[in-house]
Every structure is written in structure tokens, then in C-alpha cells.
Amino acid sequence: MVKKTAEKNVASAKKVASKKSPKIGLVKNDKWLEPYEDAIKGRHQHVIDKMNELTNNGKCSLSDFASGYLYFGLHKTDKGWTLREWAPHATEIYIVGDFNGWNEMPQYKMKRIANGNWEINLKPGALKHGDLYKLKIHWEGGEGERIPAWCRRVVQDEQTKIFSAQVWAPEKPYVFKKKSFKPNTSPLLIYECHIGMSQDAEKVGTYTEFKDNVLPRIAKDGYNCIQVMAIAEHPYYGSFGYHVSNFFAPSSRFGTPEELKELVDEAHKMGIAVIMDIVHSHAVKNEMEGLGNFAGDGCQYFMQGGRREHPAWDSLCFDYGKNEVIHYLLSNCKYWLEEFRFDGFRFDGVTSMLYYSHGLGESFGGYGDYYNGHEDDEAIAYLTLANLLIHEVNPKAITIAEEVSGMPGLAAPFKDGGYGFDYRMAMNIPDYWIKTIKELSDENWKPSSMFWETTNRRADEKTISYAESHDQALVGDKTIIFRLIDADMYWHFKKGDENYTANRGIALHKMIRLLTASTMNGGYLNFMGNEFGHPEWIDFPREGNGWSHKYARRQWNLVDNHELCYHYLGDFDEAMIKLIGGEKNFQKTKVVEVWHNDGDQILAYSRGDLLFVFNFSPAQSYTGYGFIVPQGAYDVVLNTDSKMFGGNELADDSIRHFTNYDPVYAKDDKGWLKLYIPARSAVVLRKVKE
């Protein structure tokens, strides 16, 4: 199967790259790309050339190539232990650890083998499960202790705060109970989450606590996918997992590798896919813990000169032009898929990878900005190869690009000239909602603008829509609920004590989410706790807050307390997600605008048999407001104004609505549907099947 997939990829790539072939898919779908067709084909030819180079002209598959984790790193064998590392500039390497008093000893000295690699074979009793170890590396002019680049387990000493590699070879490794799993992407409903801050208690949560306490909530709410942040080990907890030091080691802060596997297995049993927030756009600068200066060469894994350091992130930029680096990163993708059975990845910082400027200070005002020579073809080739590999290993895998510039083809198929991601993040949508809430009075919210922003996307690329993610919840920013209600969250969120500000916020929070989710063309994402209006920003333990965990947690007690208003938002989110998730191929059903009137602040659109009607007016309710829709009967299936969701319940949702005959529209089998639409509310109706 893998070989056939690889051969198919090569064949389609050659077809794409042929200058004599008909117009490729990207250009067929968008005529404005015609001036850049040669550039598009040139990039794909570069991918073909690189793929041929890595696979020896197709004699092996990308999956075969990306199996470095099976060779490098520490492995227990029938004959004892074998450890291999790539360290071309090293002159000597010793294994030091608990077992030898952290001293350099001849029997723990590695041997240089081919291609800058080092190897050691140890007898069975030389190491045991749980031992701490490092590599003591010597190079011309220096030496230092390092954690192996391919290490699968890293732990931190609670007293000294020093990180060390740990031998991980349990007598009873975890055996997955769920033998096979296929993600449900019809549609993809993502719950973005962070293991450490997922508990109510002021501490670092664990994989097991997440499995036992949070997964059941996610399943109950109807989400079919979790996007897990901060999995790969990172020295600084407050980096949110984006300054990775050890790319093959699941963070030990949250528990053991076996416990992570059990979490994934349990999610699959619940029908929930698990995708990993993977960071291949940069790496932490640390040398002792990370790859910053692994063996006397600060550019072993990273760019040379001024391109080595990221100007905005205080981190190091991978050199995607080195085959050894591509081997390392592609093997990392395959490792998480195979070893932990992740169902895919959300690639962080893709914009930073695509451009020499990292996208900083760029306007991206036209197509020419994507093909003017400032694009990093090596990084583009890596991303394309990563997508080909991931789908070769698991054809049902999910890949998502976090990308803000709008690069065409990012989420288009490779055969059409694209980069092969399944989805791209619709990053314009949260920016739009923030701008609207901050800058416009309620009377100036324009439904036409809302509809444009939530549906404006390339026809040949699927997106993940979201109103807000973890980015908007970080300290220094504000969540939607806090922008709407602010300090009144603390004083007027008890039932019976709500003031105008609280009621306004509750109403708009639901409407914003419904509009965002219901106009998706691929999937929808919510960050953990935002669905019920979590009141606190996220501030990880740091010196400035006394190393407190107070704001690095989720207060589930708030949504569980039915004396407070949080459960209104949580209950609405559950109803909304279940409604959308229950519609077969909802994400493929065309969004058809029925009506908008910016003066009235009314918006209506349909998807299949569902009709969505919004009234964003803060004060004006409408009686008998009419829309031209297919003739028939309509039942209310969701109403933001329902009392169970904190609304006023001004309309009787038990009433079945019938269209009124109009000879002008009868020939199209359409009629007038007239509704009572209260101010600041939204309703979803379903056409009754005849």
C-alpha cells in the first residue's frame, strides 16, 4: 500500500511539473494564477527532485526514508543496548549517567561510523529502565553534556531543574486496545487543548487526569477531534510548547509515554481523533537541553549566518536544505503517527517557514507577493514532502496549516500543484471578530461584512473556521467573552444578577460562534474552556506572577455550577456542535445567502435543509420579517434566545412555520417564510421533509 502510494505521488508530481501538460489544478481553479504557473511548476519540480534524491529515484518510499527513529537514538535489543547519533563535528562521545557516576569511561565510549554518525553497543546489564543519562561530547575547542537529539524520554530534576535523558524500556509497554481508527471529518469539530492547564487545581495536569476528567466532557459536547498542544518536550513551561528542545520526547511534565498512549487510545474508543500541534518551524536556543550547539556546530541543524536566529521568536531556524535535517523532521512526523497513533498534525508557524522574511512586515496585498523570489523553496519542499509522507503512512491522517499570509495552494492536493495540507486555519475570522468588537458600536455591526469574512476563501482549499483559539486567550490579549463583558464577568454572572452588559455578552458570544461554525467549509475549532466563556486569561507560572498556576488552569467548576451563567454558553455550544455534527457532509453543503440588510442588521443563509437567521440589531425586534425560501414547513432546531441558553425566549419555538404562496416565486417552488426575530438573537430552522 505504501509503495503504491509513493509511486502514485511521483507519477502525479511528474505530470504537474511537465511544462507541456495542460493547466494544472491550481491555475484551472483560479485564472489569476496564470502569470505564476511556471513558478508553481518550478516549486513542484523542486519537490520531485528532492523526493527522487531522498528515495533513490523511487527505489524506496518516503516512509522508508523517514524511519530514522528506528535507527538513531537508544534501543533495547536482544544483545543489549544500541545507541546512535548524528554528530559530524564531534571528536569523542561518551555516555554518562547514573550507571557510571556521570563519568567518562572507556566501555561507554561511542565509535564514529559512516556519514558523521556515532554508535555504541552495550551489554544487557549496562543500562536499565529509568536510568538517567546524557552524552558527553567533545569537539575541537570545546566539550559539553548533551541530551541525545533522538531521545524519546526527557525528565527534569525537581530540585536542580536540570533536564536529563531517561532510559525508557518498561517491562510491559502499553498495548493499544483500539486496533484501528478512522477520523470523522464530516465535519471536523476540533477541541484545542493543553494537557497541563486542563485541570481545575492550581498545578500541572497529567495525561491520565485529562483522559479521565476532560475527554468525557469533550465527547459529551460532540467534538470529534482534539488538537493537543505542547506534547514535544520544552524546557520552559510558559512557552506553551512552542520552544521545543526534544522533538521525539513527549513532555514528562504530564506523565509517561505509556500514559500518553493510553490517552490517545481512550480518545479513539470515544470516536475522537487526536492531532498534535507540531512545531517544525523553529527550535529553542538551549544547548544543554536542545539542539542549539549539539556537537560544536551551532548550525548542525540550523541556518547559517543571519538566518540562524528567528528575529521575533528568540529561537533557531531549521536548515531545510540539509537532507539530514529533512530526515530528522520527516522521521519525527512518522514517529508520532506510528508510535503514539496520532491522527495527524496542526503545523505551527507555517508563514514563518514560507518566506525568508518569516512574513514579518509583509502586506501580502496581491498574488505577486507569493511569487516574487522571497519564498524559501527549501521550506516549501519540506512542507510538501511532510504532507506526502504523512498521508503515505496514514491516508486518513489530518494535516492543518497555521498560515496567515494566504499563500495559494497550501491546502490544495499535490496533484493539482498544491502543498498537500488537508486544511488551513481561517486566521482572518478571529481577527475580524476582535476588530468588530473593539472598533464598532453594536449599531454598526454589518451582516454583509460578517458573511463575507466567514465565507471568503479559496474554492479549492478547505479551512478550519474559528472565532478564537488559544492565541486570543493569552495574557495581554482578551477572549471574546472578556471583550464583550470585561469586569462584569466577576460581578454579574450569577443567575438573577445579570446586567445589560452580561446579557449582551451572553447573546453575542452565542451568535458569533454560531455564525462562525455554521459557515465552515472544512472544520471548526474551539479552545478549551472558551465554549463556556472561561473568565480568566492564560498566564503560565513565571517570575512576574510568583510562579503561580492560578491562571494556567481551567475552572470547570464554573460551567458545572448551574447557579452561574457559564453553563448557558456551555449548553449552547453543546447543542450547536451536536446539530452541526449530526448533519451528514455538512462541510460540503453549499452556503447560500438568502438575505442580508445592513440597515436592519439581518442576515439569513441556508445549508441544505437548514436555514440560519441572525438579527444583530441591539434593540430592534422584527415581526413578520420575510425571506424567500423553498416552499414547505420549517421547524426551529436551535435558538440562541432560548431560556435554556440564557435568552429571553420571546418566540415560541414549538410552532411549525409554513411558507406563504407568492405567484412571483411559485414557479421556482419558493415562497415567503415570515418570522418573528427578536433583537440580538439567531435561530436555525430545518425544512420538514415531505
Side-chain angles (χ1 to χ4, degrees):
M1 179 67 179
V2 168
K3 185 177 180 182
K4 286 183 178 179
T5 304
E7 290 171 349
K8 185 178 178 182
N9 287 336
V10 172
S12 62
K14 288 178 178 176
K15 184 178 179 182
V16 166
S18 171
K19 301 249 179 150
K20 296 178 182 179
S21 65
K23 280 189 169 40
I24 59 176
L26 273 183
V27 179
K28 282 182 182 178
N29 295 332
D30 187 348
K31 67 177 183 179
W32 297 103
L33 285 173
E34 286 182 1
Y36 313 105
E37 185 169 12
D38 285 347
I40 293 169
K41 288 182 175 181
R43 287 180 187 172
H44 281 260
Q45 181 62 52
H46 182 53
V47 175
I48 297 163
D49 293 342
K50 180 58 69 173
M51 185 157 48
N52 285 334
E53 183 182 349
L54 301 179
T55 63
N56 194 15
N57 291 314
K59 291 179 181 176
C60 69
S61 67
L62 269 180
S63 180
D64 294 330
F65 171 78
S67 298
Y69 64 94
L70 298 175
Y71 178 80
F72 289 105
L74 180 65
H75 299 277
K76 190 174 184 179
T77 70
D78 294 338
K79 297 179 180 179
W81 301 86
T82 296
L83 188 147
R84 300 185 187 93
E85 280 291 328
W86 176 56
H89 287 266
T91 56
E92 287 185 326
I93 302 179
Y94 294 85
I95 303 179
V96 297
D98 293 335
F99 40 84
N100 61 12
W102 297 90
N103 295 313
E104 298 178 20
M105 293 182 174
Q107 61 269 40
Y108 289 97
K109 185 177 181 179
M110 300 182 72
K111 294 181 180 179
R112 179 187 283 273
I113 54 178
N115 303 316
N117 298 327
W118 295 74
E119 180 182 83
I120 189 171
N121 294 293
L122 298 170
K123 294 179 180 179
L127 304 173
K128 66 180 186 300
H129 174 68
D131 280 347
L132 301 181
Y133 71 101
K134 291 184 181 180
L135 300 180
K136 182 65 176 293
I137 305 180
H138 296 256
W139 56 84
E140 292 293 338
E143 61 181 53
E145 288 187 353
R146 298 289 185 262
I147 292 175
W150 296 80
C151 179
R152 299 192 186 191
R153 172 76 169 165
V154 174
V155 295
Q156 185 179 27
D157 185 276
E158 291 186 8
Q159 278 71 45
T160 66
K161 303 304 180 185
I162 293 174
F163 287 87
S164 300
Q166 186 178 46
V167 176
W168 195 256
E171 286 187 18
K172 294 183 178 179
Y174 186 79
V175 178
F176 285 90
K177 311 297 188 298
K178 182 76 173 174
K179 299 304 179 184
S180 62
F181 178 78
K182 179 182 176 182
N184 177 10
T185 57
S186 182
L188 188 63
L189 301 167
I190 304 173
Y191 199 84
E192 184 185 34
C193 50
H194 183 283
I195 301 297
M197 59 172 289
S198 63
Q199 302 304 308
D200 230 312
E202 295 183 26
K203 68 182 187 75
V204 177
T206 68
Y207 298 122
T208 298
E209 288 173 325
F210 186 91
K211 170 179 67 72
D212 294 341
N213 303 331
V214 183
L215 266 183
R217 291 179 180 272
I218 298 169
K220 177 179 177 294
D221 287 347
Y223 290 90
N224 56 30
C225 179
I226 56 174
Q227 178 180 300
V228 192
M229 306 174 66
I231 290 296
E233 191 61 84
H234 44 290
Y236 179 46
Y237 186 47
S239 76
F240 229 144
Y242 291 119
H243 275 191
V244 176
S245 53
N246 313 105
F247 286 80
F248 289 83
S251 180
S252 60
R253 284 185 184 87
F254 314 137
T256 69
E258 311 310 299
E259 289 165 342
L260 174 57
K261 291 175 182 178
E262 189 175 9
L263 187 163
V264 174
D265 203 13
E266 186 64 25
H268 287 168
K269 290 179 193 174
M270 295 180 177
I272 298 172
V274 187
I275 60 176
M276 176 181 168
D277 199 348
I278 200 167
V279 185
H280 284 180
S281 47
H282 62 136
V284 73
K285 284 183 175 180
N286 298 36
E287 297 181 3
M288 292 283 287
E289 299 89 0
L291 304 174
N293 181 14
F294 188 68
D297 178 12
C299 297
Q300 179 178 330
Y301 286 92
F302 306 108
M303 291 287 189
Q304 301 280 340
R307 295 189 63 201
R308 180 174 181 266
E309 295 192 17
H310 196 291
W313 294 349
D314 191 34
S315 56
L316 303 179
C317 302
F318 284 109
D319 185 347
Y320 305 104
K322 280 186 180 177
N323 288 351
E324 294 89 350
V325 174
I326 294 178
H327 181 236
Y328 184 78
L329 296 176
L330 289 181
S331 295
N332 191 237
C333 294
K334 184 179 176 183
Y335 167 75
W336 293 111
L337 292 172
E338 296 273 275
E339 187 71 18
F340 291 89
R341 300 198 182 179
F342 280 96
D343 299 294
F345 305 98
R346 179 261 203 188
F347 278 75
D348 178 69
V350 170
T351 305
S352 176
M353 299 171 70
L354 293 176
Y355 306 98
Y356 295 131
S357 66
H358 304 294
L360 301 173
E362 303 275 2
S363 61
F364 299 107
Y367 276 179
D369 294 334
Y370 305 118
Y371 305 98
N372 63 8
H374 72 154
E375 302 82 30
D376 188 337
D377 285 347
E378 303 292 1
I380 290 171
Y382 167 69
L383 289 168
T384 309
L385 289 168
N387 277 291
L388 291 171
L389 165 75
I390 291 163
H391 293 104
E392 190 176 295
V393 174
N394 180 3
K396 300 299 181 183
I398 300 160
T399 59
I400 304 170
E402 189 243 6
E403 205 283 315
V404 71
S405 78
M407 171 70 80
L410 197 66
F414 184 52
K415 64 181 177 61
D416 290 338
Y419 303 168
F421 282 97
D422 296 303
Y423 306 89
R424 64 192 308 159
M425 302 291 290
M427 300 184 75
N428 63 300
I429 297 177
D431 290 344
Y432 171 77
W433 288 125
I434 290 169
K435 185 178 177 67
T436 298
I437 295 168
K438 282 176 63 176
E439 299 179 5
L440 298 179
S441 64
D442 290 7
E443 293 79 6
N444 290 316
W445 286 31
K446 298 189 184 313
S448 61
S449 175
M450 298 174 193
F451 189 72
W452 166 257
E453 287 291 343
T454 54
T455 59
N456 176 27
R457 53 218 173 200
R458 298 182 60 80
D460 56 350
E461 299 190 47
K462 294 182 291 185
T463 58
I464 301 296
S465 297
Y466 62 110
E468 55 186 343
S469 68
H470 72 274
D471 285 327
Q472 287 73 41
L474 290 167
V475 67
D477 206 336
K478 286 185 177 181
T479 60
I480 284 177
I481 199 69
F482 231 86
R483 289 188 185 279
L484 292 170
I485 303 178
D486 213 271
D488 283 349
M489 288 283 292
Y490 298 114
W491 309 109
H492 296 286
F493 235 55
K494 184 176 181 179
K495 289 181 179 178
D497 291 339
E498 307 98 313
N499 60 4
Y500 172 82
T501 302
N503 283 325
R504 169 183 176 268
I506 290 170
L508 289 175
H509 190 271
K510 292 177 290 186
M511 294 176 72
I512 288 170
R513 280 172 149 64
L514 179 61
L515 179 49
T516 303
S518 62
T519 51
M520 72 167 85
N521 79 326
Y524 171 74
L525 176 142
N526 164 70
F527 177 67
M528 177 175 65
N530 284 1
E531 73 277 9
F532 65 83
H534 198 282
E536 308 287 10
W537 57 79
I538 299 166
D539 189 14
F540 282 93
R542 55 186 174 85
E543 189 175 1
N545 64 17
W547 302 103
S548 170
H549 287 82
K550 181 178 180 180
Y551 299 110
R553 61 185 178 124
R554 296 285 90 174
Q555 299 179 63
W556 303 108
N557 64 91
L558 296 175
V559 71
D560 292 341
N561 185 346
H562 280 223
E563 293 183 2
L564 304 177
C565 295
Y566 297 98
H567 87 88
Y568 287 144
L569 302 179
D571 291 347
F572 174 77
D573 190 77
E574 179 181 343
M576 177 185 77
I577 292 297
K578 286 184 175 176
L579 173 65
I580 292 172
E583 295 294 306
K584 188 175 181 181
N585 291 322
F586 179 83
Q587 80 286 2
K588 294 181 180 179
T589 307
K590 191 175 181 181
V591 182
V592 180
E593 185 177 13
V594 173
W595 175 257
H596 80 260
N597 185 306
D598 286 344
D600 295 341
Q601 293 184 277
I602 294 287
L603 172 66
Y605 53 88
S606 64
R607 293 195 82 155
D609 291 332
L610 295 180
L611 176 67
F612 299 82
V613 180
F614 294 79
N615 178 6
F616 278 95
S617 172
Q620 182 65 56
S621 298
Y622 299 97
T623 301
Y625 203 104
F627 306 96
I628 300 297
V629 297
Q631 287 188 26
Y634 290 79
D635 290 336
V636 173
V637 291
L638 186 66
N639 192 339
T640 65
D641 196 44
S642 170
K643 281 189 177 179
M644 65 190 298
F645 305 137
N648 299 306
E649 205 161 299
L650 297 177
D652 185 353
D653 291 341
S654 66
I655 295 175
R656 176 165 284 182
H657 300 269
F658 295 89
T659 53
N660 296 326
Y661 178 80
D662 187 318
V664 175
Y665 301 103
K667 66 181 185 302
D668 297 321
D669 198 28
K670 292 185 176 181
W672 286 96
L673 183 68
K674 296 192 175 181
L675 303 172
Y676 170 54
I677 318 172
R680 205 177 269 146
S681 72
V683 63
V684 185
L685 303 101
R686 185 193 303 278
K687 188 175 185 295
V688 179
K689 294 188 183 296
E690 298 177 357

